[in-house]
Amino acid sequence: MNDVAPNAACLAQLTILNGKQARQTVTLPEGALMIGRASDCQLHMVEKGVWERHVQIRLRPEEGFFLHPLPPASTLVNSEPVLAPRLLRNGDVLDVGEVKLRFWLGPVQQESLSHRETFFWMLLVALLAAQLWLIWKLG
């Protein structure tokens, strides 16, 4: 199976569209993900046309996820052959042998604002109390 598991806090993920592992989602690590038949590949696939070390997806900080083909294996992105490293875009479909994978950016997660919201409401209540006290003292 796969060493890389789905995770809600991921930067990017691959969804396997066909084959024995269809409908599984694999989280891309922040370093590199090797796809192939070899047992040490993070995404181990045994379908027809998949080489021992077929293709690598590597994160380049500040640039994005790049697909690095490993000749002589051939890889297609959106039905176009990839001969040199290529930037992956959200929704790209990769053909790795007979397997199709869809590249997706991970879900965006908003940081918790509960502390700020609590502080704001406490400040608002204190301001209201101060105004009521001034009205009572001056009135």
Side-chain angles (χ1 to χ4, degrees):
M1 206 71 179
N2 304 326
D3 295 334
V4 186
N7 180 356
C10 70
L11 294 176
Q13 54 195 3
L14 291 172
T15 301
I16 303 170
L17 301 176
N18 65 343
K20 296 175 184 173
Q21 298 165 303
R23 295 189 299 246
Q24 288 186 23
T25 299
V26 177
T27 298
L28 274 68
E30 289 191 33
L33 174 82
M34 181 68 70
I35 300 172
R37 285 181 174 268
S39 60
D40 63 339
C41 289
Q42 290 90 0
L43 182 51
H44 179 75
M45 306 180 93
V46 294
E47 279 79 1
K48 289 183 182 178
V50 178
W51 290 64
E52 287 298 305
R53 284 177 181 74
H54 197 105
V55 67
Q56 186 178 53
I57 299 174
R58 197 177 303 156
L59 174 63
R60 293 185 192 170
E62 309 300 324
E63 294 180 73
F65 284 93
F66 279 78
L67 182 83
H68 293 266
L70 301 172
S74 64
T75 304
L76 305 176
V77 174
N78 301 326
S79 301
E80 296 177 10
V82 179
L83 303 174
R86 174 185 169 150
L87 176 66
L88 291 173
R89 304 211 181 275
N90 200 31
D92 280 348
V93 175
L94 289 60
D95 289 293
V96 177
E98 291 187 356
V99 180
K100 289 190 179 293
L101 306 162
R102 182 173 309 273
F103 174 80
W104 290 110
L105 295 175
V108 177
Q109 300 211 343
Q110 180 179 350
E111 68 177 80
S112 174
L113 300 176
S114 62
H115 289 65
R116 292 180 192 167
E117 289 173 357
T118 302
F119 175 74
F120 173 78
W121 285 109
M122 290 173 55
L123 186 64
L124 195 59
V125 166
L127 184 62
L128 179 64
Q131 286 181 342
L132 289 174
W133 181 80
L134 281 174
I135 290 171
W136 177 72
K137 272 295 197 187
L138 298 175

